[in-house]
Amino acid sequence: MKLEKKDILGMQDLSVDEINLILETAESFLEISTREIKKVPTLRGKTIINLFFEASTRTRTSFEIAGKRLSADTINISSSTSSVVKGETLIDTARNLEAMNPDVIVIRHSAAGAPHLLSSLVKQSIINAGDGAHEHPTQALLDMMTIKEKKGRISGLKIAIAGDIAHSRVARSNIYGLTKMGAEIVVAGPATMLPRNIEQMGVKVFNNLDDAITGADVVMMLRIQLERQKQSVFPSLREYSQHYCLNRHNIKLAKNDVIVMHPGPINRGVEISPDIADDPSCSVILNQVNNGVAVRMALLYLLIGGHE
Amino acid sequence: MKLEKKDILGMQDLSVDEINLILETAESFLEISTREIKKVPTLRGKTIINLFFEASTRTRTSFEIAGKRLSADTINISSSTSSVVKGETLIDTARNLEAMNPDVIVIRHSAAGAPHLLSSLVKQSIINAGDGAHEHPTQALLDMMTIKEKKGRISGLKIAIAGDIAHSRVARSNIYGLTKMGAEIVVAGPATMLPRNIEQMGVKVFNNLDDAITGADVVMMLRIQLERQKQSVFPSLREYSQHYCLNRHNIKLAKNDVIVMHPGPINRGVEISPDIADDPSCSVILNQVNNGVAVRMALLYLLIGGHE
Amino acid sequence: MKLEKKDILGMQDLSVDEINLILETAESFLEISTREIKKVPTLRGKTIINLFFEASTRTRTSFEIAGKRLSADTINISSSTSSVVKGETLIDTARNLEAMNPDVIVIRHSAAGAPHLLSSLVKQSIINAGDGAHEHPTQALLDMMTIKEKKGRISGLKIAIAGDIAHSRVARSNIYGLTKMGAEIVVAGPATMLPRNIEQMGVKVFNNLDDAITGADVVMMLRIQLERQKQSVFPSLREYSQHYCLNRHNIKLAKNDVIVMHPGPINRGVEISPDIADDPSCSVILNQVNNGVAVRMALLYLLIGGHE
């Protein structure tokens, strides 16, 4: 089966069949990163541009490693060194990059919709690596791969997502993807962190963590974006963590075999207590990172290597 | 034929035969970037250092892609991450890089003459990727390649260059190169943006855009360096664009088959109106970018791969 | 013989046999960088992460070139573009990188002990590329390689190290390594730049340069870290250079065939007068840089390529 798509812009656009294809392809790529020689010639002679307008370690590195393990040429452009300094618009940047004949442009941007704009402008494949508070589909796909790996399925699971739902592209992409795959999603967060009309996305809403995680198969804690919280949507970190930090007490409300996820980087003691974050019997946070390389290899392969 | 040169420092140093050799080699490389597998082993095992002391997206990316498509190893050094932070002089940086045995050093620097200093210090090939307001030879070569591609020749064409001539390394390199190739060059710009004695470079000078572009085969609009204009050499952007913006009205003064060029990034509505910049019947701005990769591949090949 | 070590954290941990193995391996790699095709397939499919929390040109570039000439994939992460911006701890960064299955992590960090912490957390090989004022073992190894190259031996030589001993990781690593290899070490510097109890490291201490360099086979001048000297541990640069700058007069006190070393970047006229720094009859500063690539190739090979 082929992925009949030019771009990966969001989970909202992907069908169940497409998601399954991506996850199965990613599973088959997982083994390459454990080999003595972690490299296959699949994308030799392809050019991948990582165009990052926001700081990132893990996502950019994950895409760069994914590209290199498939033998593609990878080019990093970050906003601090780019012509954005000269006031070039995203549109002109896009058209200029297009004229250099890359095969894929991976973009992270603080503005929701930037990857969609790029997609409409250039003929190359675009992968959204996070656009504002909108979507982060590769994160959702690696989360789904991790859930499937640990639970054997996604359908029928109860999955709690807690924290700053309103500002989280990770939450949004996971809600789109996981509901589509048949999971039951509940969310929890302070009132100021819950988007209006969120029930319309097909989720149940709670104003406290305990109710949300009761009976959950999966608990996904979101990152508090400390660096974006100058406008202070909650009284204090201390008060937040008193009500919304996952710890050894409240985790007992979840299923015995619950798995704990976090997109990283963790604020230890704010979203998750350190003992839970580092507990190998429930935390799958590093499996998420590991699966991230495989998911990105799968997407690069399906978009530009799978049509041969 | 071989290029009997160690370095590419400026158009002033290149002979007509050398320019023709570079352009023909670039034309032969153009096809590689359209292949399914965009890579040839020509420069395998060669090391190219991109040493950029000024922000750049397109030029640095263009050189990096050019190097990778020839299978060279490319190393990026930008001033924000370099020992320049520690106060190292260009001389010591150069000698240190030389001791690591690269094959080519591509340098962009805000000081005119920096590539020439580098060239006198190290045994490796130097390519000037822009030095202050002095020269930007790879830009001129890609411009010449684009003109030749669209017009079939350079000799005998009337080429108008308009804008901030005095501060433009693009203008200077093009004037050197295009006059050498037999084109008739006219320039236009506000009095504060015209260098003294510019007629001595073999160009005609006008103080208004209309006179300059009348009958032109090629119109090359220069970028207003907004980020360098704090000292305000012209009254206002609005006044500038009223007199020097290429638009659907004044372009009628040029030949019917005029082509419009710009080194990018464009300030839309300042140097060129958006409808002209995006009009595929006259704008060749993206061809310039596309040809840029081929020109840089050609230079890398001629300097370090062509002697075998 | 194999290097039975997971990491290269400091010269203090390396035995004489291990140092000899590394130096001999580096000597055998020196030739690769002089070939027409400077690349061997030794580390194809290996992933090397350069994790630099401090600005660096030569060390980062040297490691990147070393990795690429061995055909490894190299990934650069610098603090300015990393999740450190988001407040991620070194511990979480380390665990996340580990989950992406690199083979080696090269780390430079302003905190002494950071590489050791990393080593205790992740299963991959760690190379210390400089940790605070603690150690810089690859610099010491390339210094030792240079001394051996020029003098034929290390044992029995008189080696003077002068400057800011207290804040220098280069001095510390060299003192550990060179005394172990049987050299006699003397150090000199202003009282404020000498660590307490330094005699316990097995060195003789002088408060003036002349006494230290008298009869020396090797003079190693340390860099004054101007950018760290806001707290001014010495009265003025001028006064420092009057007493501690190596010049054509005081160098006569050393042996006739003395060699002059500096880890770079040099503050010309502060630590070494320009005529001495550039004198090919005594200065081996660029040999150090050249040997640096070979030493790093050797370490990468011994850590991750030598067990096959």
Side-chain angles (χ1 to χ4, degrees), chain C residues 278-296:
Chain C
D278 298 333
D279 181 348
S281 74
C282 62
S283 172
V284 298
I285 295 172
L286 296 177
N287 301 76
Q288 294 173 266
V289 178
N290 185 41
N291 288 335
V293 175
V295 156
R296 284 149 188 145

Side-chain angles (χ1 to χ4, degrees), chain A residues 137-151:
Chain A
T138 61
Q139 178 71 41
L141 287 164
L142 71 87
D143 289 341
M144 295 164 87
M145 182 178 173
T146 307
I147 294 170
K148 215 180 133 201
E149 181 182 75
K150 296 295 175 187
K151 295 293 176 192

Side-chain angles (χ1 to χ4, degrees), chain B residues 35-74:
Chain B
R35 291 184 194 171
E36 189 68 22
I37 294 180
K38 292 182 282 288
K39 205 173 180 92
V40 292
T42 315
L43 297 186
R44 200 173 65 81
K46 304 291 187 186
T47 305
I48 298 163
I49 293 182
N50 292 318
L51 182 60
F52 275 65
F53 293 93
E54 287 187 333
S56 164
T57 297
R58 88 190 56 202
T59 306
R60 194 268 295 169
T61 303
S62 183
F63 270 108
E64 188 176 351
I65 288 178
K68 288 189 152 118
R69 289 194 180 151
L70 294 169
S71 299
D73 291 323
T74 59

Side-chain angles (χ1 to χ4, degrees), chain A residues 25-27 29-34 38 58-70 138 141-142 145-146 286-301, chain C residues 47 49 96-102:
Chain A
T25 308
E27 285 154 18
F29 275 120
L30 204 49
E31 173 267 338
I32 293 172
S33 289
T34 67
K38 291 181 281 290
R58 85 189 58 202
T59 306
R60 195 268 296 168
T61 304
S62 183
F63 270 109
E64 189 176 351
I65 288 178
K68 288 188 153 118
R69 290 194 179 151
L70 294 169
T138 61
L141 287 164
L142 71 87
M145 182 178 173
T146 307
L286 296 178
N287 302 76
Q288 294 172 266
V289 177
N290 185 41
N291 289 334
V293 174
V295 156
R296 284 151 189 143
M297 288 173 80
L299 291 174
L300 293 171
Y301 168 74
Chain C
T47 305
I49 293 181
N96 274 286
L97 293 178
E98 178 184 34
M100 296 186 202
N101 293 299

Side-chain angles (χ1 to χ4, degrees), chain B residues 215-272:
Chain B
D217 297 283
V218 177
V219 177
M220 187 182 291
M221 304 304 292
L222 301 174
R223 173 179 166 72
I224 290 294
Q225 311 263 334
L226 297 178
E227 69 280 12
R228 295 189 190 165
Q229 292 297 351
K230 281 162 196 162
Q231 67 277 36
S232 223
V233 296
F234 55 93
S236 75
L237 266 190
R238 193 171 165 188
E239 189 175 331
Y240 178 85
S241 68
Q242 278 172 351
H243 291 93
Y244 289 97
C245 184
L246 189 70
N247 57 43
R248 73 178 72 188
H249 305 296
N250 53 23
I251 200 172
K252 288 176 186 155
L253 296 166
K255 289 228 177 95
N256 279 337
D257 61 350
V258 68
I259 59 170
V260 175
M261 308 181 81
H262 190 289
I266 303 179
N267 299 300
R268 286 165 176 269
V270 177
E271 303 116 11
I272 307 182

